[in-house]
Amino acid sequence: MNIIYRVGIVVLLSSAIFACGGKTGNQGDVAFNQGAYDEAVQEYSKDLKYNPKNVVLLYNRGRAHEEQGQLDSALADFEAALQIDPNNFQVLLAISNFHYTQNNYEKAMLFASRAEEISGAPAAASFMKGRAMHQLGYTEDALKAYGNAIQLDKNYAPAYFNRGMLKLALKRKWSACEDFQLAKSLEYGAAEEAILKYCK
């Protein structure tokens, strides 16, 4: 995975954190938002003693573990949350992203696909499915998944950018450059670099 794709992942994770974070209004959220992840884990753990089936607390503690590099603990929290709420697309996406970062693209695709099937799932589900398919070499399916993400959210810049990168690999330069321009218009940082490099 190159630097350009990591940029897309950071953007995706940032949106995922704040989609679920802050809903419990506790000290764990405050610590997390300040980057004090060890303290956040402690606070979430305290709250979970009294409310062990709280999916948001489990998810947020998993994210704090993830930020600390404690990946096994993060996955354990995400999986515990999923057992409680099997149709929580935010948790499914967290597990999908976990497997993606471990280069387990089949599992990443599976969990993103499950998230995508849930009513109200965000564009991120299709985007993450597309990323996994892209890595697995399912190019046309990946293009379709990126397109689905864009249909769900016309302003989802990472989907334009990653679709452009895939089109570029498929020798569809003109169409790729169109996607890069769209990503740039949405202020996606890596898009301008790609335009300068590939669209002269």
Side-chain angles (χ1 to χ4, degrees):
M1 183 172 62
N2 60 31
I3 292 172
I4 290 171
Y5 289 121
R6 282 200 289 271
V7 172
I9 292 167
V10 170
V11 170
L12 179 65
L13 284 179
S14 297
S15 64
I17 292 165
F18 296 108
C20 271
K23 289 188 178 179
T24 55
N26 63 25
Q27 291 304 306
D29 296 333
V30 173
F32 187 101
N33 289 330
Q34 291 174 347
Y37 303 118
D38 186 56
E39 183 184 341
V41 167
Q42 292 176 34
E43 292 295 336
Y44 291 136
S45 296
K46 285 180 192 174
D47 290 339
L48 281 162
K49 285 180 184 177
Y50 302 101
N51 196 357
K53 293 188 180 291
N54 186 306
V55 171
V56 174
L57 288 173
L58 283 165
Y59 171 84
N60 286 348
R61 188 175 70 176
R63 286 290 301 117
H65 279 306
E66 200 170 42
E67 290 292 339
Q68 292 179 297
Q70 299 171 348
L71 300 182
D72 289 341
S73 296
L75 184 60
D77 277 345
F78 296 149
E79 288 178 338
L82 193 62
Q83 284 185 345
I84 297 163
D85 185 1
N87 292 319
N88 187 309
F89 56 71
Q90 199 69 53
V91 174
L92 286 164
L93 292 178
I95 296 173
S96 174
N97 188 71
F98 173 88
H99 288 299
Y100 186 92
T101 61
Q102 300 303 303
N103 301 326
N104 191 338
Y105 304 122
E106 289 283 356
K107 281 191 175 180
M109 181 177 68
L110 172 69
F111 282 98
S113 296
R114 282 178 59 186
E116 187 183 43
E117 292 169 3
I118 296 168
S119 177
S126 296
F127 172 72
M128 292 181 76
K129 179 180 174 182
R131 284 192 312 153
M133 288 178 159
H134 188 158
Q135 293 291 348
L136 289 165
Y138 305 147
T139 54
E140 293 303 324
D141 289 331
L143 286 172
K144 182 178 177 183
Y146 290 143
N148 288 343
I150 290 163
Q151 277 191 325
L152 288 168
D153 182 355
K154 301 289 187 196
N155 296 318
Y156 200 80
Y160 289 109
F161 181 79
N162 280 35
R163 188 174 70 174
M165 291 302 294
L166 183 50
K167 287 177 178 177
L168 196 66
L170 294 170
K171 313 293 187 194
R172 304 177 191 175
K173 181 178 174 180
W174 182 81
S175 186
C177 290
E178 279 194 329
D179 277 342
F180 294 148
Q181 288 290 351
L182 288 164
K184 181 183 175 183
S185 73
L186 295 167
E187 300 181 359
Y188 191 74
E192 187 166 358
E193 181 185 338
I195 291 165
L196 291 172
K197 186 173 183 179
Y198 302 114
C199 303
K200 293 178 180 177

